[in-house]
Amino acid sequence: MQRIIILDFGSQTTQLIARRIRELGTYCEILPYDRYPADDGDVIGVILSGSPCSVHDADAPRADFGRFLGRVPCLGICYGAQLLAATYGGKVERTAAHEYGRARITLTTSDPLLRGIAAKSQVWMSHGDTITILPADCHAIASTEDIPFAAYASLSRPIWGVQFHPEVVHTTEGTTLLRNFVTDICGSRCEWNPEAFIPTTIDQLRHQLGNDRVVMGLSGGVDSSVCAALLNRAIGDRLTCIFIDHGMMRENEFAEVMEAYKQAGISVKGVDASERFLGDLAGVTDPEQKRHIIGRDFVEVFSDEAKRMPGVRWLAQGTIYPDCIESGLVRPSKEGGKGTVIKSHHNVGGLPEKMGLKLCEPLRWLFKDEVRAVGRKLGLPENLIGRHPFPGPGLAVRIVGDITRDRVRMVQEADDIFIRSLRDWTCADGQTLYNKVWQAGVVLLAGIRTVGVMGDERTYDHPVVLRAVTSTDAMTADWAPLPHEFLATVSSEIINKVKGVNRVCYDISSKPPSTIEWE
Ligand code: XMP
C-alpha cells in the first residue's frame, strides 16, 4: 500500500501530522529521524517533523537526506524546514523574530503546495530559530510580517518547507496544504480507511494464525474489545477471552461489560479475583507499588487461567499505534538518565515470553479514532465504543491512600453518580456532557477527613474530588469547564447518598503540569 513516511525529530505534534494524513485517506508511518526504511518501494513522500532542538545544537538530530531527497517529494515542517535549509546552503538564525502562536501568512507566489489557500490566512508558529537565507535553488512562497520565508519551495527538486505547523487546528488552511502535498504532489490514491482495514486484516489474521488457538485478556476498554471482535470475525471460537475482575472496577462494570461482550458474540470467561487483589493491596499507599502488585497479580491470574486452555499458541493484545511509536528523540531527564518514567502504566508486557506464546497485535497500526471506527463497523455497541478511557489498575489509583473494600465502595458510588449525571446532561448542541469530555472520574482522598454538618449532627468524613478533562490523546489535557449548576447537583447527590463522604471538590488542573489521574 502507498505510504508516507514521517521522520520524527521529537516534536509534540508528530502524531498529529500522522493523524491528519490518515484522515486524508493516506496510510502513513512515523519513524525515528535516522531510520528511513531500507525497503521503500511503496513510499510516495516524506515529511520531516518539528523538534524541540535547534539546528545549531551540537547534538541536533539529522537525517540521511541522500536516501530520499529528490527521489520522492519531501515536506519539512518547522525544524524539518530549517534543517533542510541549513543543510543545503541556507542560513538559520536565532533572531529577535521568535514566533509563537498565531500569525498571518501572505502567499507570495503560486505553488502547488498552496493551491486553493486564501491569499492571507492564519497559521500556528512555534519556533525560536528562523530561516534568514534560503538555499540557492529555493524561493519563498509565503511570508509573515516577521519572517520572509514562512514557506519555501525548491525550484529544481520536489522539496518544500513550512516554518508553521499545518497539522494543528489553529492553522486554518493546514488540511488543504497537507492534502495538496499528499494527493497532488505525492500522488496518493487515497486508499486508506478503517473500513478497508477490516477485510485485509481478517485475511492476514487467518493466514498468520492458521488453525491455532488464541487467548486474550479483555479490560472492558475500547482497544481490547475491538481487537477481540476482529479476531472473533477472523477465527471464531478459536479465540478465548479472559476478563479479570480485580475488585476495583466501577459500579456494576464487570457484569455490564460481560453482558455487552455476550451480546457482541465474543466468547469470554469472567474471573472474579477481587479477594486476591484486595488482599495483596491491603495497607499499600504508594501508587507505583499499587501498580506493581496489580500488574503482577494480573499476570499470575491470567497465566493460571490460560494454562487451563489446551492448545493455545498465541496471545492477542489490543496494542494501538500510539503505544508502539518509538520517538526519534530520547530527552535526557533532569537526573541525567535517559528519559523519566512518570507513571509506569500497567500492561501485560513480558507475558507472552513467560507463557511461551507468540504475540498477535492486529490494531498496532491504528490510532484511537480509527480503532473506534473499526469497532463501529464491526457492529460493537456504542456503550463499548464510546466509553471513556479507564486505567488498568482501576479505582486503585483513584483512592489516595490504602485500599479497603469500603473505600472502593465510596468511589464506586460517587463515580456512578458523576458518570450517570454526565450521561444524562444534554447540552445546547444536543451532545451529552459525557461525550464532550475525554475522561471523567472521582478520586477519594482516603487519608483526609474533614468536618461537616448533616442535620444537627457533626460529621468527620472524607472528601472526594471530581475530575473531568478534555483531551485528544491524554498526552495533554485541560480541565473541563462543567456548568456550575451541573456541579452543584452532582455534589449534593454525592454528599446525600454516599456514606462516608461529606465534601466534594472539583479539580481545575491541566496536564501538564498535573496528570489526569491523581496517582
Ligand atoms: P495520566 O494520569 O498519566 O493518565 O495523565 C493518562 C491516561 O492514562 C491512563 N492511565 C493508565 N492506564 N494503566 C493504564 O492502563 C495505568 O497505570 C494508568 N495510569 C493512568 C489515565 O486514565 C489516562 O487516560
Side-chain angles (χ1 to χ4, degrees), residues 291 342-347 389-393 397-398 438-439 474 511 514-519:
R291 282 190 171 82
I342 295 177
K343 290 177 193 181
S344 62
H345 282 195
H346 149 70
N347 63 34
F390 188 61
V397 291
R398 294 191 183 160
W438 159 270
Q439 185 170 10
K511 173 184 178 177
S514 300
T515 51
I516 297 177
E517 304 294 348
W518 273 49
E519 289 201 328

Side-chain angles (χ1 to χ4, degrees), residues 299-350:
V299 167
E300 286 174 11
V301 173
F302 185 86
S303 313
D304 286 350
E305 289 298 326
K307 271 186 217 141
R308 286 192 216 135
M309 297 171 178
V312 169
R313 311 253 325 257
W314 294 83
L315 174 77
Q317 279 184 3
T319 320
I320 68 169
Y321 197 40
D323 305 332
C324 311
I325 298 171
E326 191 190 343
S327 168
L329 209 63
V330 182
R331 260 170 271 180
S333 71
K334 284 199 192 96
E335 295 79 34
K338 269 202 152 191
T340 28
V341 176
I342 295 177
K343 290 177 193 181
S344 62
H345 282 195
H346 149 70
N347 63 34
V348 282

Side-chain angles (χ1 to χ4, degrees), residues 416-428:
D416 187 52
I417 292 170
F418 186 34
I419 299 295
R420 217 169 359 86
S421 308
L422 287 167
R423 286 191 193 278
D424 289 347
W425 190 281
T426 309
C427 306

Side-chain angles (χ1 to χ4, degrees), residues 21-129:
I21 305 293
R22 297 245 188 126
E23 280 160 18
L24 289 167
T26 302
Y27 184 71
C28 63
E29 279 174 27
I30 299 173
L31 294 175
Y33 61 88
D34 54 355
R35 303 246 199 99
Y36 186 76
D39 167 22
D40 65 351
D42 294 328
V43 176
I44 57 169
V46 177
I47 295 179
L48 312 175
S49 83
S51 175
C53 301
S54 156
V55 295
H56 298 299
D57 292 349
D59 55 352
R62 294 176 201 287
D64 182 0
F65 290 141
R67 308 248 335 255
F68 53 86
L69 225 52
R71 289 175 42 200
V72 288
C74 177
L75 171 66
I77 293 177
C78 197
Y79 175 87
Q82 292 163 357
L83 186 63
L84 280 169
T87 309
Y88 292 99
K91 193 164 184 189
V92 175
E93 288 180 273
R94 187 154 282 261
T95 67
H98 291 182
E99 282 196 305
Y100 293 103
R102 292 176 176 81
R104 283 187 79 71
I105 52 161
T106 303
L107 309 193
T108 48
T109 181
S110 71
D111 185 276
L113 187 70
L114 305 175
R115 200 168 59 86
I117 293 180
K120 287 183 188 297
S121 68
Q122 176 186 291
V123 296
W124 186 260
M125 293 280 189
S126 169
H127 56 99
D129 290 353

Side-chain angles (χ1 to χ4, degrees), residues 65-379:
F65 290 141
R67 308 248 335 255
F68 53 86
L69 225 52
R71 289 175 42 200
V72 288
C74 177
L75 171 66
I77 293 177
C78 197
Y79 175 87
Q82 292 163 357
L83 186 63
L84 280 169
T87 309
Y88 292 99
K91 193 164 184 189
V92 175
E93 288 180 273
R94 187 154 282 261
T95 67
H98 291 182
E99 282 196 305
Y100 293 103
R102 292 176 176 81
R104 283 187 79 71
I105 52 161
T106 303
L107 309 193
T108 48
T109 181
S110 71
D111 185 276
L113 187 70
L114 305 175
R115 200 168 59 86
I117 293 180
K120 287 183 188 297
S121 68
Q122 176 186 291
V123 296
W124 186 260
M125 293 280 189
S126 169
H127 56 99
D129 290 353
T130 193
I131 302 170
T132 49
I133 300 175
L134 282 176
D137 77 329
C138 292
H139 70 144
I141 56 175
S143 61
T144 70
E145 223 168 64
D146 294 318
I147 57 168
F149 313 124
Y152 66 84
S154 159
L155 294 161
S156 58
R157 293 187 290 177
I159 299 172
W160 286 262
V162 292
Q163 293 202 77
F164 52 88
H165 288 271
E167 69 278 17
V168 307
V169 288
H170 311 291
T171 297
T172 49
E173 309 245 27
T175 305
T176 310
L177 186 150
L178 291 172
R179 182 183 296 114
N180 289 342
F181 179 69
V182 170
T183 53
D184 298 355
I185 295 174
C186 299
S188 166
R189 292 189 292 269
C190 301
E191 301 159 318
W192 168 256
N193 65 55
E195 278 170 54
F197 169 89
I198 296 174
T200 40
T201 307
I202 287 177
D203 279 353
Q204 278 166 8
L205 284 171
R206 287 184 181 148
H207 183 73
Q208 179 185 27
L209 303 172
N211 287 321
D212 290 350
R213 299 193 73 85
V214 179
V215 66
M216 92 168 270
L218 295 178
S219 67
V222 181
D223 305 339
S224 68
S225 304
V226 173
C227 181
L230 200 57
L231 276 158
N232 186 45
R233 279 272 182 100
I235 60 166
D237 61 7
R238 272 180 286 119
L239 167 74
T240 310
C241 298
I242 299 171
F243 184 25
I244 298 171
D245 183 357
H246 54 30
M248 288 152 296
M249 291 196 196
R250 286 164 290 193
E251 185 117 307
N252 299 325
E253 184 168 25
F254 188 67
E256 280 170 16
V257 172
M258 283 295 285
E259 182 56 29
Y261 285 142
K262 212 169 108 193
Q263 295 295 331
I266 299 171
S267 122
V268 44
K269 175 160 192 222
V271 181
D272 178 0
S274 52
E275 283 293 329
R276 171 181 182 154
F277 281 86
L278 289 170
D280 289 350
L281 285 166
V284 176
T285 52
D286 178 69
E288 285 302 282
Q289 212 187 333
K290 287 180 185 173
R291 282 190 171 82
H292 175 78
I293 293 169
I294 293 169
R296 184 202 61 201
D297 282 2
F298 182 88
V299 167
E300 286 174 11
V301 173
F302 185 86
S303 313
D304 286 350
E305 289 298 326
K307 271 186 217 141
R308 286 192 216 135
M309 297 171 178
V312 169
R313 311 253 325 257
W314 294 83
L315 174 77
Q317 279 184 3
T319 320
I320 68 169
Y321 197 40
D323 305 332
C324 311
I325 298 171
E326 191 190 343
S327 168
L329 209 63
V330 182
R331 260 170 271 180
S333 71
K334 284 199 192 96
E335 295 79 34
K338 269 202 152 191
T340 28
V341 176
I342 295 177
K343 290 177 193 181
S344 62
H345 282 195
H346 149 70
N347 63 34
V348 282
L351 196 54
E353 299 90 66
K354 235 184 185 162
M355 297 174 62
L357 297 176
K358 291 187 274 186
L359 192 58
C360 168
E361 296 176 314
L363 306 180
R364 64 176 291 122
W365 302 109
L366 300 189
F367 284 109
K368 191 88 170 185
D369 43 353
E370 295 174 324
V371 173
R372 289 208 162 97
V374 167
R376 289 199 176 95
K377 275 284 150 200
L378 288 169

